[in-house]
Coordinates of all heavy atoms in Angstrom, one line a residue:
G1 N 28.0 -27.0 9.8 CA 27.9 -26.2 11.0 C 27.2 -24.9 10.9 O 26.5 -24.4 11.8
R2 N 27.3 -24.3 9.7 CA 26.7 -22.9 9.6 C 25.5 -22.9 8.7 O 24.4 -22.5 9.1 CB 27.8 -22.0 9.0 CG 28.9 -21.8 10.1 CD 30.1 -21.1 9.5 NE 29.8 -19.7 9.1 CZ 30.7 -18.9 8.5 NH1 32.0 -19.4 8.3 NH2 30.4 -17.7 8.1
A3 N 25.6 -23.4 7.4 CA 24.5 -23.4 6.5 C 23.5 -24.5 6.8 O 22.4 -24.4 6.4 CB 25.0 -23.4 5.1
E4 N 24.0 -25.6 7.4 CA 23.1 -26.7 7.8 C 22.4 -27.2 6.5 O 21.1 -27.4 6.6 CB 22.2 -26.4 8.9 CG 22.9 -26.0 10.2 CD 22.0 -25.6 11.3 OE1 20.8 -25.2 11.0 OE2 22.4 -25.6 12.5
V5 N 23.1 -27.4 5.4 CA 22.5 -27.7 4.2 C 21.6 -28.9 4.2 O 20.5 -28.9 3.6 CB 23.6 -27.8 3.1 CG1 23.0 -28.3 1.8 CG2 24.3 -26.5 2.9
A6 N 22.0 -29.9 4.9 CA 21.3 -31.2 4.9 C 20.1 -31.2 6.0 O 19.4 -32.2 6.0 CB 22.2 -32.3 5.1
E7 N 20.0 -30.2 6.8 CA 19.0 -30.2 7.9 C 17.7 -29.5 7.4 O 17.7 -28.6 6.6 CB 19.6 -29.5 9.1 CG 20.9 -30.1 9.6 CD 20.7 -31.5 10.1 OE1 19.6 -31.8 10.6 OE2 21.6 -32.3 9.9
K8 N 16.6 -29.9 8.0 CA 15.3 -29.2 7.8 C 15.4 -27.8 8.5 O 15.9 -27.7 9.6 CB 14.2 -30.0 8.3 CG 13.8 -31.2 7.5 CD 12.5 -31.8 8.0 CE 12.1 -33.0 7.2 NZ 10.9 -33.6 7.6
P9 N 14.8 -26.8 7.8 CA 14.7 -25.4 8.4 C 13.9 -25.5 9.7 O 12.9 -26.2 9.8 CB 14.1 -24.6 7.4 CG 14.3 -25.3 6.1 CD 14.3 -26.8 6.4
D10 N 14.3 -24.7 10.7 CA 13.6 -24.7 12.0 C 12.2 -24.3 11.9 O 11.3 -24.7 12.7 CB 14.4 -23.7 13.0 CG 15.7 -24.2 13.4 OD1 16.0 -25.4 13.2 OD2 16.6 -23.4 13.8
L11 N 11.9 -23.4 10.9 CA 10.5 -22.9 10.8 C 9.5 -24.0 10.5 O 8.3 -23.8 10.7 CB 10.4 -21.7 9.9 CG 10.7 -21.9 8.4 CD1 9.4 -22.4 7.6 CD2 11.2 -20.7 7.7
L12 N 9.9 -25.1 10.0 CA 9.0 -26.2 9.7 C 8.4 -26.8 10.9 O 7.3 -27.4 10.9 CB 9.7 -27.3 8.9 CG 10.1 -27.0 7.4 CD1 10.7 -28.2 6.7 CD2 8.9 -26.5 6.6
W13 N 9.1 -26.6 12.1 CA 8.5 -27.1 13.3 C 7.3 -26.3 13.7 O 6.4 -26.9 14.3 CB 9.6 -27.0 14.4 CG 10.8 -28.0 14.2 CD1 12.0 -27.6 13.8 CD2 10.8 -29.4 14.4 NE1 12.8 -28.7 13.7 CE2 12.1 -29.8 14.1 CE3 9.9 -30.3 14.9 CZ2 12.5 -31.2 14.2 CZ3 10.2 -31.7 15.0 CH2 11.5 -32.1 14.6
E14 N 7.3 -25.0 13.4 CA 6.2 -24.2 13.7 C 5.1 -24.2 12.6 O 3.9 -24.0 12.8 CB 6.7 -22.7 13.9 CG 7.7 -22.6 15.0 CD 8.3 -21.2 15.1 OE1 7.8 -20.3 14.3 OE2 9.2 -21.0 15.9
R15 N 5.6 -24.4 11.3 CA 4.6 -24.4 10.2 C 4.8 -25.7 9.4 O 5.3 -25.8 8.3 CB 4.9 -23.2 9.3 CG 4.7 -21.9 9.9 CD 3.2 -21.6 10.2 NE 2.5 -21.6 8.9 CZ 2.3 -20.5 8.2 NH1 2.8 -19.4 8.5 NH2 1.6 -20.6 7.1
P16 N 4.3 -26.9 10.0 CA 4.5 -28.2 9.3 C 3.8 -28.2 7.9 O 4.1 -29.1 7.1 CB 3.9 -29.2 10.3 CG 3.0 -28.4 11.2 CD 3.7 -27.0 11.2
E17 N 2.8 -27.4 7.7 CA 2.1 -27.4 6.4 C 3.0 -26.9 5.3 O 2.6 -27.1 4.1 CB 0.8 -26.5 6.5 CG 1.1 -25.0 6.6 CD 1.3 -24.5 8.0 OE1 1.5 -25.3 8.9 OE2 1.3 -23.3 8.2
L18 N 4.2 -26.4 5.6 CA 5.1 -25.9 4.5 C 6.1 -27.1 4.1 O 6.9 -26.8 3.3 CB 5.9 -24.7 5.0 CG 5.1 -23.4 5.2 CD1 6.0 -22.3 5.8 CD2 4.4 -23.0 4.0
E19 N 5.9 -28.2 4.7 CA 6.8 -29.4 4.4 C 6.8 -29.7 2.9 O 7.8 -30.0 2.4 CB 6.3 -30.6 5.2 CG 7.1 -31.8 5.0 CD 8.3 -32.0 5.9 OE1 8.4 -31.3 7.0 OE2 9.2 -32.8 5.6
G20 N 5.6 -29.7 2.3 CA 5.5 -30.0 0.9 C 6.3 -29.1 0.0 O 7.0 -29.4 -0.9
L21 N 6.2 -27.8 0.3 CA 6.9 -26.7 -0.4 C 8.4 -26.9 -0.2 O 9.2 -26.8 -1.2 CB 6.5 -25.3 0.0 CG 7.2 -24.2 -0.6 CD1 7.1 -24.1 -2.1 CD2 6.7 -22.8 0.0
Y22 N 8.8 -27.2 1.0 CA 10.2 -27.4 1.3 C 10.8 -28.6 0.5 O 11.9 -28.5 -0.1 CB 10.4 -27.7 2.8 CG 11.7 -28.4 3.2 CD1 12.9 -27.7 3.1 CD2 11.7 -29.8 3.5 CE1 14.1 -28.4 3.4 CE2 12.9 -30.4 3.9 CZ 14.1 -29.7 3.8 OH 15.3 -30.3 4.1
L23 N 10.1 -29.7 0.5 CA 10.6 -30.9 -0.3 C 10.7 -30.6 -1.8 O 11.6 -31.0 -2.4 CB 9.6 -32.1 0.0 CG 9.6 -32.6 1.4 CD1 8.6 -33.7 1.6 CD2 11.0 -33.2 1.8
R24 N 9.7 -29.8 -2.3 CA 9.7 -29.5 -3.7 C 10.9 -28.6 -4.1 O 11.5 -28.7 -5.1 CB 8.4 -28.9 -4.2 CG 7.3 -30.0 -4.3 CD 6.0 -29.4 -5.0 NE 5.3 -28.6 -4.0 CZ 4.4 -29.0 -3.2 NH1 4.1 -30.3 -3.1 NH2 3.7 -28.1 -2.4
L25 N 11.1 -27.6 -3.2 CA 12.3 -26.7 -3.4 C 13.6 -27.5 -3.2 O 14.6 -27.2 -4.0 CB 12.2 -25.5 -2.4 CG 11.1 -24.5 -2.7 CD1 11.0 -23.5 -1.5 CD2 11.3 -23.8 -4.0
E26 N 13.7 -28.3 -2.3 CA 14.9 -29.1 -2.1 C 15.2 -30.0 -3.3 O 16.4 -30.1 -3.7 CB 14.8 -30.0 -0.8 CG 16.0 -30.9 -0.5 CD 15.8 -31.8 0.6 OE1 14.8 -32.6 0.5 OE2 16.6 -31.8 1.6
D27 N 14.1 -30.5 -3.9 CA 14.3 -31.3 -5.1 C 14.7 -30.5 -6.3 O 15.5 -30.8 -7.1 CB 13.0 -32.1 -5.4 CG 13.1 -33.0 -6.6 OD1 14.0 -33.9 -6.5 OD2 12.4 -32.8 -7.6
E28 N 14.0 -29.3 -6.4 CA 14.3 -28.4 -7.5 C 15.8 -27.9 -7.5 O 16.4 -27.9 -8.6 CB 13.4 -27.2 -7.5 CG 13.7 -26.1 -8.5 CD 13.4 -26.6 -9.9 OE1 12.6 -27.5 -10.1 OE2 14.1 -26.0 -10.8
F29 N 16.3 -27.6 -6.4 CA 17.7 -27.1 -6.3 C 18.7 -28.2 -6.1 O 19.9 -28.0 -6.0 CB 17.8 -26.1 -5.1 CG 17.0 -24.8 -5.4 CD1 16.1 -24.4 -4.5 CD2 17.3 -24.0 -6.5 CE1 15.3 -23.2 -4.7 CE2 16.6 -22.8 -6.7 CZ 15.6 -22.4 -5.8
E30 N 18.2 -29.4 -6.0 CA 19.0 -30.6 -5.9 C 20.0 -30.5 -4.7 O 21.2 -30.9 -4.8 CB 19.8 -30.9 -7.2 CG 18.9 -31.2 -8.4 CD 19.7 -31.4 -9.6 OE1 20.8 -30.9 -9.8 OE2 19.2 -32.1 -10.5
L31 N 19.5 -30.0 -3.6 CA 20.4 -29.7 -2.5 C 21.0 -30.9 -1.9 O 22.2 -31.0 -1.6 CB 19.6 -28.9 -1.4 CG 19.0 -27.5 -1.8 CD1 18.3 -26.9 -0.6 CD2 20.1 -26.6 -2.3
R32 N 20.2 -32.0 -1.7 CA 20.7 -33.2 -1.1 C 21.7 -33.9 -2.0 O 22.8 -34.3 -1.5 CB 19.5 -34.1 -0.8 CG 19.9 -35.3 0.1 CD 18.7 -36.1 0.6 NE 17.8 -35.2 1.3 CZ 17.9 -35.0 2.6 NH1 18.9 -35.6 3.3 NH2 17.1 -34.2 3.3
E33 N 21.4 -34.0 -3.3 CA 22.4 -34.6 -4.2 C 23.7 -33.8 -4.3 O 24.8 -34.4 -4.3 CB 21.8 -34.7 -5.6 CG 20.6 -35.7 -5.7 CD 19.3 -35.0 -5.2 OE1 19.3 -33.8 -4.8 OE2 18.2 -35.7 -5.3
R34 N 23.6 -32.5 -4.4 CA 24.8 -31.6 -4.4 C 25.6 -31.7 -3.2 O 26.8 -31.7 -3.2 CB 24.4 -30.2 -4.7 CG 23.8 -30.0 -6.1 CD 23.0 -28.7 -6.2 NE 23.9 -27.5 -6.1 CZ 23.5 -26.3 -6.0 NH1 22.2 -26.1 -5.9 NH2 24.3 -25.3 -5.9
H35 N 24.9 -31.8 -2.0 CA 25.6 -31.9 -0.7 C 26.4 -33.2 -0.7 O 27.5 -33.2 -0.3 CB 24.6 -31.8 0.4 CG 25.2 -31.9 1.8 ND1 25.0 -33.1 2.5 CD2 25.9 -31.1 2.5 CE1 25.7 -32.9 3.7 NE2 26.2 -31.7 3.7
L36 N 25.7 -34.3 -1.1 CA 26.4 -35.6 -1.0 C 27.6 -35.7 -2.0 O 28.6 -36.2 -1.7 CB 25.4 -36.7 -1.4 CG 24.3 -37.0 -0.3 CD1 23.3 -38.0 -0.9 CD2 24.9 -37.5 1.0
G37 N 27.4 -35.0 -3.2 CA 28.5 -35.0 -4.2 C 29.7 -34.2 -3.6 O 30.8 -34.6 -3.8
L38 N 29.4 -33.1 -3.0 CA 30.5 -32.3 -2.4 C 31.2 -33.1 -1.3 O 32.4 -33.0 -1.2 CB 29.9 -31.0 -1.8 CG 29.9 -29.8 -2.7 CD1 29.3 -28.6 -2.0 CD2 31.4 -29.4 -3.1
E39 N 30.4 -33.8 -0.5 CA 31.0 -34.5 0.6 C 32.0 -35.6 0.1 O 33.1 -35.8 0.6 CB 30.0 -35.2 1.5 CG 29.3 -34.2 2.5 CD 28.5 -35.0 3.5 OE1 27.9 -36.0 3.1 OE2 28.4 -34.5 4.7
R40 N 31.6 -36.3 -1.0 CA 32.4 -37.3 -1.6 C 33.7 -36.7 -2.1 O 34.8 -37.2 -1.9 CB 31.7 -38.0 -2.7 CG 30.6 -39.0 -2.2 CD 30.2 -39.9 -3.3 NE 29.4 -39.2 -4.3 CZ 28.1 -39.1 -4.3 NH1 27.4 -39.6 -3.4 NH2 27.5 -38.4 -5.3
K41 N 33.6 -35.5 -2.8 CA 34.8 -34.9 -3.4 C 35.7 -34.4 -2.2 O 37.0 -34.5 -2.3 CB 34.4 -33.7 -4.2 CG 33.9 -34.1 -5.6 CD 33.7 -32.9 -6.5 CE 33.3 -33.3 -7.9 NZ 33.2 -32.2 -8.8
L42 N 35.1 -33.8 -1.2 CA 35.9 -33.4 -0.1 C 36.7 -34.5 0.6 O 37.8 -34.4 1.1 CB 35.0 -32.6 1.0 CG 34.5 -31.3 0.5 CD1 33.4 -30.8 1.5 CD2 35.6 -30.2 0.5
Q43 N 36.0 -35.7 0.7 CA 36.6 -36.8 1.3 C 37.8 -37.3 0.5 O 38.9 -37.7 1.0 CB 35.6 -38.0 1.4 CG 36.1 -39.1 2.3 CD 36.3 -38.7 3.8 OE1 35.5 -38.1 4.4 NE2 37.5 -39.0 4.3
V44 N 37.6 -37.3 -0.9 CA 38.7 -37.7 -1.8 C 39.9 -36.7 -1.6 O 41.1 -37.2 -1.5 CB 38.3 -37.7 -3.2 CG1 39.5 -37.9 -4.2 CG2 37.3 -38.8 -3.4
I45 N 39.6 -35.4 -1.6 CA 40.7 -34.4 -1.4 C 41.4 -34.6 -0.1 O 42.7 -34.6 -0.1 CB 40.1 -33.0 -1.5 CG1 39.6 -32.7 -2.9 CG2 41.1 -32.0 -1.1 CD1 38.8 -31.4 -3.0
S46 N 40.6 -34.8 1.0 CA 41.2 -34.9 2.3 C 42.1 -36.2 2.4 O 43.2 -36.2 2.9 CB 40.1 -35.0 3.3 OG 40.7 -35.1 4.6
N47 N 41.5 -37.3 1.8 CA 42.3 -38.6 1.9 C 43.6 -38.5 1.1 O 44.6 -39.0 1.5 CB 41.4 -39.7 1.4 CG 40.3 -40.1 2.3 OD1 40.3 -39.7 3.5 ND2 39.3 -40.8 1.8

């Protein structure tokens, strides 16, 4: 709801040419993998 970790930044709608940089940075920081890993752990804790 706040950091919107899994969502694309709004500025990409205005600057689509930055999409490549966004994808490389997302891969470098492993944002998607870390987000999915956290979700799985949170689900286990909650369950």
Side-chain angles (χ1 to χ4, degrees):
R2 291 169 66 181
E4 299 176 341
V5 171
E7 303 297 325
K8 286 187 178 181
D10 292 339
L11 64 87
L12 289 182
W13 294 102
E14 301 173 5
R15 297 290 300 273
E17 70 274 14
L18 296 178
E19 178 90 15
L21 176 60
Y22 160 72
L23 293 174
R24 284 188 287 274
L25 289 174
E26 182 185 54
D27 183 61
E28 174 65 28
F29 294 120
E30 300 179 330
L31 298 184
R32 193 170 298 276
E33 294 83 357
R34 291 163 67 192
H35 178 256
L36 290 174
L38 266 176
E39 280 192 329
R40 285 194 292 268
K41 284 189 175 182
L42 289 170
Q43 192 62 51
V44 170
I45 291 170
S46 181
N47 289 345

